[in-house]
Amino acid sequence: MTEDDVVRIAKVRKKTPGQILLRHLLQLGVSVIPKSSNPERLKQNLDIFDFNLSTTEMAKLNALDQGEEGIKFFV
């Protein structure tokens, strides 16, 4: 969520980096189930249906994919 392209897109779209990443996954056709108990974050998680990322924005976010190496972060 601190990648320059994610932060830049979030600022342009007036959204949070988390919202940008959730929208990116939805546009890729990935089912997303965000988890939060924070009321503000819950609201933000639902506020991702009023915009679409452009082809250029999607390409920039797709380029951040780290493949197998990126999975190690979550294990």
Side-chain angles (χ1 to χ4, degrees), residues 24 54-64:
H24 175 243
S54 70
T55 304
T56 303
E57 291 168 331
M58 288 294 290
K60 286 180 181 181
L61 296 172
N62 290 340
L64 298 175

Side-chain angles (χ1 to χ4, degrees), residues 32-56:
V32 180
I33 305 172
K35 177 188 174 279
S36 181
S37 58
N38 178 308
E40 181 60 28
R41 184 108 0 98
L42 288 168
K43 181 182 176 303
Q44 290 172 358
N45 289 343
L46 291 173
D47 191 23
I48 60 170
F49 298 102
D50 61 344
F51 71 102
N52 285 306
L53 298 170
S54 70
T55 304
T56 303

Side-chain angles (χ1 to χ4, degrees), residues 4-48:
D4 290 342
D5 283 331
V6 175
V7 172
R8 195 173 301 113
I9 293 167
K11 285 182 182 178
V12 168
R13 296 287 185 160
K14 296 184 171 107
K15 298 289 183 181
T16 67
Q19 289 172 307
I20 296 303
L21 295 173
L22 286 173
R23 185 67 214 177
H24 175 243
L25 290 172
L26 285 177
Q27 284 186 226
L28 288 174
V30 176
S31 296
V32 180
I33 305 172
K35 177 188 174 279
S36 181
S37 58
N38 178 308
E40 181 60 28
R41 184 108 0 98
L42 288 168
K43 181 182 176 303
Q44 290 172 358
N45 289 343
L46 291 173
D47 191 23
I48 60 170

